[in-house]
Amino acid sequence: ALEAQKSEAQQVTLSMKNFNYYPDTLTVQAEKPVELTLDKSVTGCFRSFNVKSLGVSKYSRSPEDTVNFTPTKKGTFTFACSMGMGYGTLIVN
């Protein structure tokens, strides 16, 4: 059952460019699991990924340590690192 769930997940990868997340706008579908990878260009506090309004908060130690969540409400949300230095927009359709 775990394998099936994994393949259904929306795969999203974030990098770091010009001292911010890249891309800084992510679009995902509501009610479907999201598997977010912070690639190896992401360093420091940027590895702590938060979407406060969706209750998502995770420190990703490595690209293998993915951030998994299922957005349950549609809308536009802000994601940011723990210190608020890097941020972007998460659009849930």
Side-chain angles (χ1 to χ4, degrees):
L2 254 175
E3 282 306 305
Q5 262 186 328
K6 204 169 170 65
S7 63
E8 285 169 29
Q10 306 174 79
Q11 309 277 340
V12 181
T13 300
L14 279 176
S15 303
M16 205 170 152
K17 199 183 233 179
N18 302 327
F19 303 104
N20 199 7
Y21 291 111
Y22 178 82
D24 62 3
T25 302
L26 303 175
T27 304
V28 297
Q29 301 300 311
E31 308 298 340
K32 284 181 71 178
V34 174
E35 184 178 293
L36 185 129
T37 301
L38 298 173
D39 78 10
K40 63 182 187 293
S41 71
V42 180
T43 57
C45 62
F46 281 75
R47 295 213 66 85
S48 178
F49 182 85
N50 303 277
V51 189
K52 282 203 176 71
S53 45
L54 293 179
V56 177
S57 180
K58 161 123 184 180
Y59 181 78
S60 163
R61 285 170 189 78
S62 70
E64 289 72 41
D65 190 14
T66 56
V67 180
N68 300 292
F69 63 96
T70 303
T72 54
K73 51 187 179 183
K74 297 182 179 187
T76 302
F77 308 97
T78 299
F79 64 83
C81 72
S82 58
M83 294 178 69
M85 290 166 61
Y87 54 88
T89 304
L90 176 72
I91 299 164
V92 182
N93 292 325

